[in-house]
Every structure is written in C-alpha cells, then in structure tokens.
Amino acid sequence: PILSFPNKERVPGCIATVHLKTTLIAISDNRPTAKAKDPNEYRVILEGSADAMLSGGLLALLSDTFGGSDATTEKVASDTEGNDTVTAADILKVNPEVITTAMGLQSVLSRGRNDGMTSMVRVVQRQIKSLLGDDECSSLDTSDETSSVVANEKLNQLLKLSSSNTKTQKDNPTHKPTVAMLLSGGVDSSVALHLLLRQNYNVTAFYLRIWLEDELAHLGECPWEEDLEVCQLVTEHAGNVPLETVSLGEEYREQVVQYTIEEAERGRTPNPDIMCNSRVKFGCFLEYIEKSDMTFDYVASGHYARLEDEVSLVPTTDSDTMMQHPPKKRLFRAPDPIKDQSYFLCALTQNQLSKVIFPIGNYQKWEVRELASHFQLPNRDRPDSQGLCFLGKVRFDDFLASYLGNRPGDVVDAYDGEVIGRHNGMWFHTVGQRKGIGKVLNPFATARGPWYVVAKDQKRDIVYVSNRYEEEDFVRARSEFEVEDVRWIAGEPPVCVVESSQLEDGSFERSAWKEVRMDMKIRHGPRIVQGSLMLKEDGSTGNICLEKKDGGLAPGQYVVFYQLGTDECLGAGVISERHWAKFLQNYEELSAGKVEE
C-alpha cells in the first residue's frame, strides 16, 4: 500500500519558498495487515520544489537521505530486503535541530539555511504522523524501552540544568520572587517562561511592541499582531500567566532607530540589536517598571548567555573582620556557539545585569527545542525569527532608503583611483561587502572582479572597492585598527590591562596600560579571533592588532572582548573612523607615488 500526503505543503521558516510532500511506501506487501500503519513497515519518498537553487539542492539531499526521489519510487516499492532500510520510524526519531550537523553541513550553511533544514524535517515528520494517524504514532515514544529511558534521563538532565541556571529559592522557600518575563512569541522565551515557573517564580509576561507603524507601514507588514497572539496562547497554556503589552515605539524610535539612521548617514555600520538590549529591553523597560505600580525582583529574557556572581570581601574599618561587597555580575558565552548572544549583551551595565535572569543560558538550541516539545508548547514548531526585531519582513536597505533616500556618489578602485561605478548612497554598503556590489559597477569593471568594499569617504561620498582584497596590500587594513567607546562589564578595566604601582599607604593606582591578548568577536556568530588590545589615554580608546586578517573591519561595528581561552565576556569597543582615515591617507600617498612615477 502507498500512503501519500494530499498536497505539497509550504515549509515555514525557509529563506526561499519551499514546498514538499511525503509519500509512504510499504516495504513489503507480505507483512501482517494489523501492522499496516506501523511506521517500521514504511519507507519515505519526498517530492518538493524550491525557488532558490541552494534550497533545491538541500531538499534533494534530504530526499536522498530519507529515502530517494521520485525516480527511485519503483525501486523502493519493490525493495523488501536489506538491514540498511531507512523506515518512517527512523525518520520520526531524527532530531530536527541536529540534521545539518549529522549531514556535515552546519558549518557551511547560514543560520537561515540551517533553520530551514530543521523546518523541512519537522514538516516531513508531521506529514508522516498525519498519514499514519496520531494513535499509531503515539506508541513510538514507549515502544522502545531503552530509547524511552534514555530520553527521560536526558529530559531530567535538562530540567535539572534549569535549576542550576536560575537563582535558587532554597534560602527563603516561602517567598516567591517576582519576575517580569520578556515574551516575544518565539520558542526561546516561551521555554524560559516555563523554566521560571518550574523554579517557583511568580511570573508576569510582557510583550514589548516596538513596531514603528506610522513610519514603516508603507514598506510592508510586521508580524507583531501574530507574535502577540502567540504570546497569548503560550501564557494561557502555561496556566493563564498574566500577560501585559507595553508600547515602547516612541522610546525605540529615539533610542535605537535614530542611532541607526545617524550612524548609517555617517557611513558607519550600526548595530541596532546591541542598542535595543541596552537602551530598550533592559533600559526603557526597566524604567517603565520602576515608574509603574508593579514591583519585580528580576527581569528575564530568552537570551543565550550566562551570568555568574563574583563575591568580593574587603576589610572593615577595624581591619579584624571582612565585609562582603554586593556581588558583581560576570557575563559568559552560552554553550551553543551559534546561538550565543553575549555579543549583543556587551553594552549592559552592572546595574542592569544585577536585575537580569537568562533561564536558557546554559542550553543548546536543540535542547530548548526538546523542552518545547516536552512542555507541548503551542509554538514549539515555530521557526526562529530572522533580521532586526523592529523591521519584521522589511529589508534593511528599504528602511534606510525611507529615511535617508538616495545620495549617489562615485565607486572608486582603491588601487589606481579609477572611477568604475556609481552608488546610490554610502549607507547601502559596508566594509568587506562583496554581494551586491556588482550592481553599481560598470560592466567592464564587473568582469575584473570579485570586488570588495574596502573604505568609504563620507565627506566626498566615495565608496572605495578593490579586487585585490586578498593580497598583501590589505593585510594591515584588515588586522590593525583603533577602537573607541571602550566599556567593561565590571564597570572598570580588568586587572589584566592595567599596570599598577603601590603607594605608601599600601594601596595601588594605575600607572600605565599594558598590552594584553584576548579572544574577540568582530560580529555576532561562532567565530572567535585572537588579538592584542592596548588602551590609550583615559582608557576609552585603544589599538587592536588581530593575529589573522578579518573579512571587513567597519567603523561603528562592535568588537567584543573575552578573556583569553575562556567564555567570559569582559567588555567591548567600537571600531573607530580613524581606521578609514589611516587607510585613505595611505591610499593618497600610494596614489601620489604613482603619479610621480
């Protein structure tokens, strides 16, 4: 017998438009009819389509992995032997979160493509269950006793982990600390909510509405209404947890959007996510709570990051006893290198961190998905959101164009000064950019590519590009730069960057800065680079030298510092415009030398 899903279903959460359909083909017609819908008795055939070549290739790989394409249907239908047969039961046991890892693709695919593959597997599994019937599939969880024990042990470990990752309530079991939970409608914050409830917190959920309806409505729709509806379902499912909606659109416009526009107009690369966390989620929202009649002990979010207390003891005035200072917060990377969000939290202050809880900070993404399934969350299959939270589905370039319009200027070859194209505005390009630059180049120049953006001259509206980006000419420009607005998680520079001298009274004072090697993140993601930092003057600026050249050092971009060889986030700085000034000076000297020759 053949069981076929009636129509091709669109896969949610994919970058491209992907449709797929599952067909189950009995491995043998001689099996007992009582097991006609046993998933162990069926193999799987996938049919699908995608409007992007890469997504189509990934769909084909998944089809081959799970059982073959349409061309192999006849062969699969007649294949009654073989211990290596992949059955529908095998596919139902696959963890969608690790499918790209198992196929050796995770490191070479973008986050969106990884999430898309995860969504494809979920759709296949859902269609298999639909074809077999819910009753038949429910027995899968207990049919294999060993698998069930392993699954339960793993689940217990995950739930036990949640206990160690949140503040313990053992010291005062009669008091239930109050928590304001930032709920977005996504899986991460929803799982965080459930973990807090299990830890005996008194939770109120808050949905922050920051969509700029008046300014951006003409560009497209933002799914905030859908997000809010999902939040309502999640809180009802959790036992009717109170849910409040807070409109912070005006504050977001002033604190984040204005910063983004001003930085882009200067030709710099803004980071709205860092500003959103420091100025809105843990800034304006904390102020909103303090001004309201509501009192909360903590604010929680679904960020992937870890916090630990650092307790310090100092002598009292009689010097015979020690007094404990209020603990400082230490920020650490999450164990999931891809999902880690410590980069986006680098601008938080000690005052903000002292009030924050990250319930899922110790988890891998696939573990969070596993807990979402265990909790039977109504949004457990919802794909992760992509892009900036306040834009929804609006393209960042369209957002910039709506505020800044177009301001054309020359595109210049940084090697010989030749004008090889015209751009529509410096804010549409960033240092290190390759994709899309060909659209603004003359046809004869495009053939000499690939071209990379290497610098921008804001005063003259010039975008400099080069097709020699990988050569020695750009080693220094891609590895040495200055940082400004240096800040530290502890509120003061760590001892590793300070050269101290002892005073007569036995105390110490800073006498100089010293160069120190650190792990660094130039942008959000799993990549860690090593380099040295040497602070200057009052410590708010410094020089950085990376051990390996970077893909693109763009002024305005944040560099986050981690203690060498550890996960601890120490602080951050912003790449300075002096990086451009130095490059342009070298460029002018090089051009002058060519003229003399």
Side-chain angles (χ1 to χ4, degrees), residues 29 70 111 187 293 362 387 451 496 545 580:
D29 292 331
D70 295 340
R111 184 176 66 174
V187 173
D293 295 332
N362 270 317
W451 294 91
C496 62
C545 181
W580 276 346

Side-chain angles (χ1 to χ4, degrees), residues 243-491:
L243 174 63
E244 303 281 346
T245 302
V246 180
S247 179
L248 294 178
E250 187 63 33
E251 291 82 354
Y252 200 92
R253 181 187 296 105
E254 296 175 357
Q255 299 289 337
V256 180
V257 174
Q258 193 61 36
Y259 148 83
T260 301
I261 295 169
E262 290 175 357
E263 286 286 279
E265 190 170 21
R266 292 171 58 189
R268 291 161 61 99
T269 299
N271 198 311
D273 291 303
I274 290 178
M275 293 299 114
C276 178
N277 286 323
S278 63
R279 297 182 178 182
V280 179
K281 289 181 180 178
F282 304 111
C284 295
F285 179 65
L286 284 175
E287 294 174 2
Y288 167 82
I289 290 177
E290 292 172 357
K291 292 178 181 178
S292 69
D293 295 332
M294 299 175 288
T295 301
F296 292 96
D297 297 309
Y298 306 106
V299 172
S301 70
H303 283 96
Y304 286 86
R306 297 182 292 122
L307 289 174
E308 293 183 9
D309 289 337
E310 180 181 58
V311 179
S312 59
L313 298 176
V314 295
T316 60
T317 53
D318 59 15
S319 71
D320 293 330
T321 59
M322 302 293 286
M323 178 178 64
Q324 180 176 316
H325 270 185
K328 283 192 173 183
K329 292 294 180 180
R330 300 169 65 188
L331 178 65
F332 294 83
R333 292 197 298 266
D336 190 323
I338 295 177
K339 289 297 181 180
D340 167 58
Q341 292 173 303
S342 59
Y343 180 90
F344 293 133
L345 300 168
C346 67
L348 266 60
T349 66
Q350 279 292 311
N351 182 55
Q352 292 170 320
L353 290 172
S354 67
K355 303 173 183 178
V356 172
I357 303 175
F358 299 133
I360 64 171
N362 270 317
Y363 291 92
Q364 300 272 353
K365 176 65 181 186
W366 69 267
E367 293 174 322
V368 172
R369 286 284 184 184
E370 193 167 299
L371 287 173
S373 296
H374 171 71
F375 295 146
Q376 291 294 298
L377 298 184
N379 60 341
R380 58 187 177 275
D381 292 327
R382 200 179 194 202
D384 292 341
S385 61
Q386 305 289 330
L388 300 175
C389 51
F390 73 97
L391 289 183
K393 299 178 181 179
V394 176
R395 293 175 62 250
F396 189 57
D397 281 358
D398 292 339
F399 162 76
L400 291 178
S402 69
Y403 280 95
L404 299 175
N406 294 334
R407 194 168 75 198
D410 289 337
V411 179
V412 174
D413 186 342
Y415 179 68
D416 58 15
E418 180 185 2
V419 176
I420 60 174
R422 292 280 289 176
H423 63 79
N424 293 317
M426 286 194 310
W427 39 83
F428 297 125
H429 305 284
T430 188
V431 174
Q433 175 188 348
R434 174 184 174 184
K435 183 179 179 181
I437 193 66
K439 297 178 182 178
V440 297
L441 299 180
N442 299 331
F444 72 89
T446 305
R448 306 202 313 265
W451 294 91
Y452 295 84
V453 176
V454 296
K456 294 188 281 187
D457 187 335
Q458 190 262 349
K459 294 181 179 179
R460 296 188 291 174
D461 280 327
I462 295 176
V463 172
Y464 290 93
V465 299
S466 178
N467 57 0
R468 303 162 60 91
Y469 200 50
E470 301 297 336
E471 299 181 15
E472 291 187 5
D473 301 15
F474 290 94
V475 171
R476 291 191 62 184
R478 295 174 61 180
S479 59
E480 299 178 14
F481 57 97
E482 294 188 38
V483 286
E484 60 193 18
D485 194 22
V486 175
R487 62 187 72 191
W488 301 102
I489 295 296

Side-chain angles (χ1 to χ4, degrees), residues 198-255:
R198 285 175 171 269
Q199 292 301 308
N200 202 35
Y201 286 97
N202 185 356
V203 182
T204 299
F206 287 85
Y207 176 78
L208 304 186
R209 180 180 170 187
I210 57 177
W211 169 242
L212 305 179
E213 202 159 16
D214 294 337
E215 291 94 333
L216 304 180
H218 66 288
L219 295 178
E221 296 181 359
C222 176
W224 77 265
E225 292 179 334
E226 178 186 340
D227 290 341
L228 180 57
E229 183 178 342
V230 173
C231 288
Q232 292 168 339
L233 293 174
V234 169
T235 52
E236 291 172 4
H237 173 268
N240 291 317
V241 171
L243 174 63
E244 303 281 346
T245 302
V246 180
S247 179
L248 294 178
E250 187 63 33
E251 291 82 354
Y252 200 92
R253 181 187 296 105
E254 296 175 357
Q255 299 289 337

Side-chain angles (χ1 to χ4, degrees), residues 91-162:
I91 295 173
L92 289 174
K93 294 177 183 177
V94 170
N95 182 350
E97 294 293 337
V98 299
I99 184 65
T100 53
T101 301
M103 298 173 72
L105 298 173
Q106 184 183 45
S107 62
V108 297
L109 295 178
S110 67
R111 184 176 66 174
R113 300 291 185 187
N114 275 286
D115 290 344
M117 284 286 281
T118 296
S119 296
M120 289 185 204
V121 175
R122 287 202 183 99
V123 170
V124 171
Q125 291 174 332
R126 186 167 61 248
Q127 290 184 357
I128 290 174
K129 291 179 180 181
S130 176
L131 291 171
L132 296 177
D134 291 339
D135 293 339
E136 289 78 358
C137 289
S138 63
S139 64
L140 283 174
D141 296 331
T142 57
S143 60
D144 186 337
E145 185 175 349
T146 302
S147 297
S148 180
V149 170
V150 171
N152 287 334
E153 287 181 354
K154 180 61 178 175
L155 183 60
N156 289 334
Q157 290 174 4
L158 293 181
L159 295 177
K160 184 178 180 181
L161 180 61
S162 72

